[in-house]
Amino acid sequence: MAFTVNPDKFRFPAEFSAGVKGKRVLISGAGKDGGLGQSFALAAGLNGAESVAVHFHSSYDDGLDLVEYLRSQGVNAFPLQADVTNMGDLWASRSYVIKKMGGIPNLVICNSGLTEKGYSFGRSLREIEGESMAMRRARVRQAFINNLTETRLVLDTKIDGFMAMTHLWSGEAVYANEPIEFVYISSRQAIDPGVSVPGYAIANWAVLQLPKVLQVNLGRSAELVSAFSVLYPFVRTGMTNEYAENPKVFGRWQPRMLETHEAAEGFMQLLSQPKEVTNQGMFEAIVEPLPEKGEKAVKFTWKQVRFDIKEELTPFSAERPLEFV
């Protein structure tokens, strides 16, 4: 059975349940055992959600085990297998979700379990002593193709997939005249990029723009839809576990990696805040040491990120503006 987490760690204080209690919740990228999406599904299901759609693309073993567990706890959970980058596949899931939930989702958490294995962006591979020029050209070409294929998958899922989910379910909400909330899971690498994961950093930057873009496009219907983004530091998952004891990877941000239940508890605290507090916000998770309470003890707080756009006329253009008549 691919379900290894301790579910009791995902039962949180009652005041943190306000964001999910009685709601129909859809979480994308929720199938992988030990993943962040799985933690959101457990947090929703075990803290009062009316129904939980567990989306996955290829992680069906883990995803089905998660659904089975949630059902054993009396949760109306169901699997949703779809490729969010395939518009026909995603559209076909619409009627299925509505039928299973008894209505459209009230809360859509756009999460992705993808990152990049890592490569040196903008630099060619090192030479190998004794390697022929033909072999080097072939090796560099193949690395280039493999690296950009990896990046394309991340960009497609984070940007195209999140946009498609937003377009689909906001359209349904406006049509049904029902409120809906979107949460976009981003990363601190969006505002503080790390090395070797260029596509991941760029995709997570794009995610931060979705709430504003959505609000502008909805116009008078914007009052029905609220949205915000969350920027997480390193969380210990199947993707990051190999780096969990390597402070060179995560040490600039935090004394240790967060566990998924800790990330989920912080998320539930944020989600329980009034819409006027969270709507259109970008919230960065901050993890700081608490040495007085133990070597592994940390303090978790939220910071709100704001982008201040500043436009200035360039000196050369001020001195010599172009005139067209």
Side-chain angles (χ1 to χ4, degrees):
M1 180 175 179
F3 185 70
T4 60
V5 300
N6 179 357
D8 290 335
K9 292 184 176 181
F10 294 86
R11 300 180 189 275
F12 302 128
E15 64 266 27
F16 289 0
S17 68
V20 298
K21 196 170 185 63
K23 290 186 177 179
R24 301 183 292 269
V25 184
L26 191 164
I27 306 115
S28 67
K32 196 165 292 185
D33 184 49
L36 198 54
Q38 181 198 59
S39 76
F40 297 146
L42 285 168
L46 299 180
N47 292 277
E50 179 184 312
S51 57
V52 178
V54 176
H55 165 265
F56 50 84
H57 181 201
S58 58
S59 303
Y60 56 86
D61 284 346
D62 295 358
L64 292 174
D65 285 340
L66 172 58
V67 168
E68 182 181 345
Y69 173 75
L70 288 172
R71 286 176 174 173
S72 75
Q73 302 301 299
V75 181
N76 175 29
F78 61 94
L80 171 60
Q81 187 172 24
D83 178 358
V84 297
T85 68
N86 182 315
M87 301 307 104
D89 202 13
L90 188 61
W91 176 258
S93 70
R94 168 187 165 274
S95 57
Y96 169 76
V97 170
I98 294 172
K99 180 179 179 181
K100 286 287 187 180
M101 286 187 165
I104 66 168
N106 308 120
L107 172 63
V108 177
I109 301 170
C110 292
N111 171 69
S112 166
L114 287 177
T115 186
E116 292 167 308
K117 295 176 184 175
Y119 61 92
S120 296
F121 181 60
R123 291 184 291 170
S124 187
L125 298 180
R126 292 180 180 178
E127 293 185 16
I128 296 177
E129 187 177 351
E131 183 180 43
S132 69
M133 184 56 68
M135 181 62 76
R136 172 166 175 76
R137 279 198 300 265
R139 185 168 61 88
V140 170
R141 173 187 178 277
Q142 192 59 51
F144 174 82
I145 292 170
N146 292 344
N147 292 340
L148 271 296
T149 299
E150 184 179 302
T151 287
R152 172 48 56 193
L153 183 59
V154 173
L155 292 171
D156 283 351
T157 302
K158 275 276 185 180
I159 300 176
D160 294 351
F162 285 16
M163 280 195 67
M165 291 277 285
T166 302
H167 190 36
L168 173 62
W169 293 114
S170 63
E172 291 297 315
V174 171
Y175 177 74
N177 197 34
E178 291 186 20
I180 191 170
E181 182 173 29
F182 291 90
V183 183
Y184 303 104
I185 306 303
S186 183
S187 165
R188 284 185 67 179
Q189 296 214 43
I191 57 174
D192 186 8
V195 297
S196 301
V197 286
Y200 184 73
I202 291 166
N204 279 291
W205 167 269
V207 164
L208 301 179
Q209 304 301 314
L210 270 168
K212 183 63 177 177
V213 170
L214 178 60
Q215 182 187 55
V216 169
N217 279 270
L218 285 173
R220 286 179 296 179
S221 298
E223 62 183 21
L224 283 171
V225 183
S226 60
F228 65 91
S229 302
V230 176
L231 296 84
Y232 273 110
F234 281 100
V235 179
R236 187 200 293 262
T237 67
M239 294 188 304
T240 62
N241 194 50
E242 62 182 297
Y243 309 114
E245 304 305 323
N246 184 353
K248 290 183 179 179
V249 174
F250 64 87
R252 62 184 176 146
W253 286 342
Q254 59 203 100
R256 67 165 173 82
M257 285 192 183
L258 283 175
E259 301 297 334
T260 55
H261 66 272
E262 295 169 332
E265 184 168 1
F267 180 70
M268 292 287 283
Q269 181 191 34
L270 179 61
L271 196 61
S272 67
Q273 303 307 305
K275 297 295 181 294
E276 55 267 27
V277 172
T278 58
N279 190 31
Q280 295 297 303
M282 293 178 281
F283 299 94
E284 178 185 12
I286 304 296
V287 182
E288 299 170 297
L290 274 177
E292 67 275 15
K293 293 195 175 182
E295 183 182 354
K296 296 292 185 180
V298 294
K299 178 175 69 172
F300 183 109
T301 54
W302 290 105
K303 282 187 177 179
Q304 187 156 7
V305 178
R306 291 185 174 89
F307 295 153
D308 296 321
I309 306 300
K310 187 177 181 180
E311 297 178 291
E312 295 179 335
L313 187 63
T314 60
F316 71 84
S317 190
E319 292 173 7
R320 190 177 178 182
L322 300 177
E323 296 181 0
F324 304 104
V325 294

